[in-house]
């Protein structure tokens, strides 16, 4: 691998890690943010809605721009993620922080477009596995922020120190970007970097994949936002909620690493269906048990099979449109990110009426929807013509 390809790989994987940090930021600091802003939980959840709105409104345009100037997209996206990571925890002005969250969502669009593009160029023969590795780092970022926040609370340090420490990853990216090259090429051969997937109706399949990602984003949003709060409610301990979220994200890392190997033998379509079925069953059982022990077993198990699904959905979509990887990825993410907008607003209506537990029932419904869509995608696609 050339030195420049190593830099591209580092930037893609570091961006996955930083994205994992910012996506778990609110869930990891929810109780602390309620105190910082003197706002109820349903108002704090709107930070996630603002983040998702920024992502949804920008991701398709960012995807098209990334084909022409990916390094500039990466630079600006990283800056905006840093604004979100630090602004929300350091600026106790609610509406200013909503703007920071919106900008962070625009920054997240860079991850949707850039990471598949870079990894398809650097790892053409191991594309799905490299995406799974990226998902592992995404999960590691979520684990890092959850674990560090729990540690800060335990040693009586300000919770925002965790954000400051993890912001150093973004700083390293900003330093490296000017020394990394991206060589654009208009030749067809350059775009055929991944193994194609076939369907009689690519556009419909892309829409279905967007629907699957909508369900996936909604599930991750609900679990990341309310899991720690529900465990805190059951146990009476804020630290236990933070640590379960950390365990959940650590298991996402383990699952993504395991599936790195499995995806060399199993096709993505099979994994999408099987994992969707498994997480639905586990979530339903955990809710029926409704105990601290049940959730401590169930949530990490869900993380093991859930985390890799983002990778799988993007891999299927970009294999269908292998000559327009950044645009296909952005199109799917545009539909999917609507789930991040819809979920905070939906749950902010449910929770005052039926409590935090209602967000978990909402999650089960979304898991069922994801399973049905996954089966349709499986039936409409094939590996060979």
């Amino acid at each position: 691998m050339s030195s420049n390809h190593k830099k591209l790989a580092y930037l893609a994987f570091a961006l996955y890690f930083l994205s994992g940090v910012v996506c778990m930021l609110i869930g990891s600091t929810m109780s602390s943010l309620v105190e910082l802003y003197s706002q109820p939980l349903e108002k704090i959840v709107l930070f996630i809605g603002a983040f998702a709105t920024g992502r949804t409104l920008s991701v398709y345009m960012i995807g098209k721009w990334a084909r022409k100037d990916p390094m500039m997209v990466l630079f600006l996206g990283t800056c905006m993620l840093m604004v979100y990571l630090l602004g929300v925890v350091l600026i106790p002005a609610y509406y200013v922080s909503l703007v920071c969250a919106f900008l962070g969502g625009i920054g997240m669009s860079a991850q949707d477009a850039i990471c598949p593009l870079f990894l398809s160029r650097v790892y053409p023969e191991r594309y799905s596995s490299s995406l799974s590795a990226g998902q592992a780092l995404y999960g590691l970022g979520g684990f890092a922020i959850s674990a560090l926040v729990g540690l800060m609370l335990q040693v009586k340090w300000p919770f925002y120190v965790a954000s400051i420490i993890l912001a150093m990853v973004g700083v390293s990216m900003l330093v490296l970007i000017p020394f990394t090259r991206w060589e654009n090429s208009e030749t067809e051969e350059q775009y055929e970097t991944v193994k194609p997937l076939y369907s009689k109706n690519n556009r419909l399949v892309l829409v279905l994949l967007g629907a699957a990602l909508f369900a996936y984003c909604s599930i991750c949003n609900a679990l990341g936002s309310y899991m720690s709060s529900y465990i805190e409610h059951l146990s009476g301990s804020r630290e236990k909620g933070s640590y379960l979220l950390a365990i959940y994200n650590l298991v996402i890392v383990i699952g993504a690493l395991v599936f790195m190997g499995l995806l060399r033998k199993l096709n993505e379509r099979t994994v999408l269906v099987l994992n969707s079925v498994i997480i639905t069953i586990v979530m339903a059982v955990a809710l029926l048990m409704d105990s601290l022990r049940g959730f401590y077993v169930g949530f990490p198990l869900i993380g093991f099979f859930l985390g890799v699904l983002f990778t799988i959905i993007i891999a299927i979509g970009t294999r269908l449109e292998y000559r327009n990887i950044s645009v296909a990825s952005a199109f799917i993410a545009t539909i999917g990110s609507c789930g991040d907008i819809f979920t905070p607003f939906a749950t902010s209506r449910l929770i005052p009426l039926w409590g935090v537990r209602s967000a978990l029932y909402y999650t089960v419904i979304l898991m069922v929807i994801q399973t049905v869509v996954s089966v349709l995608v499986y039936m409409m696609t094939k590996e060979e013509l």
Side-chain angles (χ1 to χ4, degrees), residues 6 28 41 123 186 213 218 233 274 344 346 371-372:
K6 289 178 182 178
S28 301
L41 184 145
Y123 301 105
E186 296 301 324
L213 194 62
S218 300
H233 168 73
L274 290 178
T371 301
V372 172

Side-chain angles (χ1 to χ4, degrees), residues 25-39 41 44 153 159 225 228-229 232 237-238 242:
L25 177 65
I26 303 303
S28 301
T29 60
M30 183 75 76
S31 298
S32 298
L33 292 176
V34 167
E35 293 178 0
L36 178 68
Y37 288 95
S38 300
Q39 297 283 354
L41 184 145
I44 299 301
L153 292 172
F159 75 98
S225 299
S228 60
S229 297
E232 182 181 337
S237 169
R238 186 179 298 182
S242 293

Side-chain angles (χ1 to χ4, degrees), residues 363-380:
T363 305
V364 174
I365 294 170
L366 290 164
M367 287 177 173
V368 172
I369 293 171
Q370 181 178 269
T371 301
V372 172
V373 173
S374 299
V375 172
L376 291 175
V377 169
Y378 184 91
M379 294 171 62
M380 292 181 66

Side-chain angles (χ1 to χ4, degrees), residues 55 92 99 107 132 180 182 192 211 299 336:
R55 182 183 181 192
V99 174
S132 188
T180 309
W182 177 264
E192 294 185 15
F299 279 147

Side-chain angles (χ1 to χ4, degrees), residues 191-337:
Y191 287 117
E192 294 185 15
T193 53
V194 298
K195 182 183 177 183
L197 188 68
Y198 303 98
S199 171
K200 292 182 179 179
N201 193 334
N202 280 15
R203 186 171 299 178
L204 179 57
V205 174
L206 287 174
V207 171
L208 287 172
L209 288 169
L213 194 62
F214 177 97
Y216 172 86
C217 290
S218 300
I219 292 163
C220 292
N221 189 304
L223 292 179
S225 299
Y226 301 112
M227 181 195 306
S228 60
S229 297
Y230 191 67
I231 296 304
E232 182 181 337
H233 168 73
L234 283 180
S235 65
S237 169
R238 186 179 298 182
E239 289 82 1
K240 284 185 179 179
S242 293
Y243 281 132
L244 177 57
L245 197 57
I247 293 168
Y248 166 81
N249 282 288
L250 180 60
V251 174
I252 286 177
V253 176
I254 296 169
L257 292 174
V258 169
F259 279 100
M260 268 183 68
L262 292 178
L263 284 170
R264 295 177 185 177
K265 299 180 180 180
L266 296 175
N267 70 64
E268 297 96 338
R269 298 152 57 243
T270 301
V271 174
L272 179 61
V273 173
L274 290 178
N275 286 24
S276 297
V277 171
I278 291 169
I279 63 171
T280 304
I281 293 171
V282 172
M283 187 69 186
V285 171
L287 278 171
L288 285 172
M289 293 177 64
D290 197 28
S291 67
L292 197 61
R293 182 177 297 177
F295 285 121
Y296 259 88
V297 173
F299 279 147
L301 195 57
I302 289 169
F304 182 88
F305 291 101
L306 175 67
V308 74
L309 291 183
F310 179 87
T311 293
I312 297 299
I313 293 166
I314 295 299
I316 293 171
T318 51
R319 285 181 61 200
L320 276 172
E321 294 290 336
Y322 56 90
R323 292 179 184 159
N324 297 288
I325 285 175
S326 65
V327 176
S329 177
F331 175 78
I332 297 168
T334 299
I335 302 174
S337 60

Side-chain angles (χ1 to χ4, degrees), residues 157-170:
W157 283 20
F159 75 98
Y160 55 76
V161 173
S163 290
I164 295 172
I165 292 171
L166 293 171
M168 294 302 104
V169 174

